[in-house]
Amino acid sequence: MKKKGKSLAELLIDVRIARNKVQNIINRMQNKIGTYNHIFMRNVASFPHLSKMVARESELLENVMDHLLTLEVILEILEIKIETIIYIGNIVTSAASVVEAIKLLKESFNLTPDISLLLDDIYSNFYVNVDLPKEIKINVKEEARSVLLDAEKIAEKRKSETYYQVNT
């Protein structure tokens, strides 16, 4: 049986959790390095052997810290990339509902043949370039009606604004 992967949103949450944990570790290491540096400075004259051990430990922690800082930056970049993918997915879905609204509008009344062909071309080329899953296509058709209603309201508002501008 094939194991189902996580959704992008769940993956984004995992990346944010990992980044938070790395940041917490970095903060603890910074405190520890500060403490070691303080111990080194305080005991360098009295306990030179102990001070050397503390200095070596501090160096090791700083090396680990460099890697953790790099990891934190990589996780941040990944977080941004996943957010972008999610956002672009939303844009594609929104664009699909607008394209479907064009089809609904075209079906509601007869247009000139050249405009009708142009709209058909836009509709078909959109779906050639953007492959949407079946369940999204069903939702898009429902959203297209609301897009069409919103567009009609905006057009009506613009029409009334133009009318008042002409008369003033």
Side-chain angles (χ1 to χ4, degrees):
M1 190 165 142
K2 189 175 179 182
K3 184 178 177 184
K4 185 180 176 191
K6 291 187 174 188
S7 71
L8 283 176
E10 292 170 327
L11 182 61
L12 179 62
I13 290 169
D14 288 347
V15 170
R16 286 181 177 167
I17 289 170
R19 191 169 164 225
N20 249 352
K21 287 182 179 183
V22 169
Q23 287 172 340
N24 287 337
I25 293 169
I26 288 170
N27 289 337
R28 287 196 313 259
M29 281 192 152
Q30 284 174 336
N31 290 337
K32 194 176 268 191
I33 289 170
T35 303
Y36 284 175
N37 289 339
H38 179 72
I39 291 171
F40 173 78
M41 296 301 289
R42 196 165 158 204
N43 294 315
V44 73
S46 305
F47 304 101
H49 182 68
L50 176 64
S51 295
K52 285 180 186 177
M53 289 173 54
V54 169
R56 265 190 251 131
E57 183 69 23
S58 180
E59 281 181 40
L60 289 173
L61 286 178
E62 285 178 10
N63 287 337
V64 172
M65 177 95 109
D66 291 341
H67 292 294
L68 286 173
L69 289 170
T70 304
L71 176 61
E72 198 267 332
V73 170
I74 291 171
L75 288 171
E76 182 179 5
I77 292 169
L78 180 60
E79 181 179 342
I80 291 168
K81 298 289 185 185
I82 293 171
E83 287 173 343
T84 303
I85 291 169
I86 291 170
Y87 188 66
I88 287 174
N90 290 337
I91 289 171
V92 169
T93 304
S94 298
S97 61
V98 174
V99 170
E100 288 294 329
I102 289 173
K103 183 179 179 188
L104 286 174
L105 182 64
K106 182 183 166 289
E107 291 172 353
S108 67
F109 68 96
N110 293 331
L111 298 167
T112 61
D114 57 334
I115 294 177
S116 181
L117 287 172
L118 185 62
L119 295 179
D120 286 339
D121 192 42
I122 290 170
Y123 182 82
S124 62
N125 282 328
F126 179 81
Y127 284 109
V128 165
N129 290 309
V130 177
D131 186 31
L132 293 175
K134 210 175 228 184
E135 57 274 357
I136 291 178
K137 285 182 183 177
I138 293 168
N139 291 337
V140 163
K141 291 182 188 239
E142 294 170 5
E143 292 173 16
R145 289 184 186 88
S146 70
V147 169
L148 186 58
L149 289 174
D150 291 342
E152 288 172 349
K153 289 176 186 175
I154 292 169
E156 192 64 36
K157 184 177 178 184
R158 286 183 181 169
K159 189 171 105 178
S160 65
E161 288 173 358
T162 304
Y163 176 74
Y164 289 123
Q165 287 177 351
V166 171
N167 287 333
T168 56

